[in-house]
């Protein structure tokens, strides 16, 4: 899995928001606001290029005090949201 080109994380009025850059990606129905841990995962996914749920869960474990099961569940949930709004692809 990887992030779709043209979507970047920005801070807007103190909120982490993924926005589309360029006219072909602009769809205000697809803007997504991220909490601190989700923004961290988005950045990690970008660094990895191609990523798996397990890789992001491992990164979450390194940064936050959560169990392995909770980290994987949280990662799978956020990836599902990203897929739903079309900002990641296989």
């Amino acid at each position: 899995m990887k992030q779709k080109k043209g979507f970047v994380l920005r801070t807007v009025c103190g909120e982490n928001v993924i926005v589309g850059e360029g006219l072909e990606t602009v769809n205000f129905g697809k803007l997504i606001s991220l909490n601190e841990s989700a923004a961290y995962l988005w950045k990690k996914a970008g660094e990895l290029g191609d990523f798996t749920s397990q890789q992001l869960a491992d990164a979450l474990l390194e940064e936050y005090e959560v169990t392995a099961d909770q980290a994987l569940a949280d990662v799978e949930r956020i990836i599902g949201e990203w897929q739903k709004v079309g900002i990641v692809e296989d």
Side-chain angles (χ1 to χ4, degrees), residues 2-10 17-27 30-32 42 46 85-89:
K2 62 184 173 183
Q3 296 172 344
K4 279 191 177 178
K5 290 182 181 178
F7 290 97
V8 296
L9 181 66
R10 297 277 187 244
V17 181
I18 296 174
V19 296
E21 291 189 332
L23 292 177
E24 68 279 356
T25 61
V26 174
N27 178 340
K30 290 188 178 183
L31 293 180
I32 184 169
W42 181 261
V85 295
I87 58 176
V88 295
E89 59 191 2

Side-chain angles (χ1 to χ4, degrees), residues 50-62:
D50 287 323
F51 63 89
T52 65
S53 296
Q54 189 60 57
Q55 287 174 309
L56 292 185
D58 290 343
L60 201 60
L61 286 169
E62 290 176 14

Side-chain angles (χ1 to χ4, degrees), residues 30-78:
K30 290 188 178 183
L31 293 180
I32 184 169
S33 178
L34 303 179
N35 64 21
E36 181 182 324
S37 58
Y40 171 78
L41 291 173
W42 181 261
K43 290 174 190 174
K44 279 294 181 187
E47 290 171 10
L48 292 168
D50 287 323
F51 63 89
T52 65
S53 296
Q54 189 60 57
Q55 287 174 309
L56 292 185
D58 290 343
L60 201 60
L61 286 169
E62 290 176 14
E63 189 69 16
Y64 296 92
E65 291 185 25
V66 295
T67 66
D69 289 341
Q70 186 63 54
L72 187 57
D74 289 350
V75 165
E76 289 175 347
R77 182 184 51 77
I78 193 66

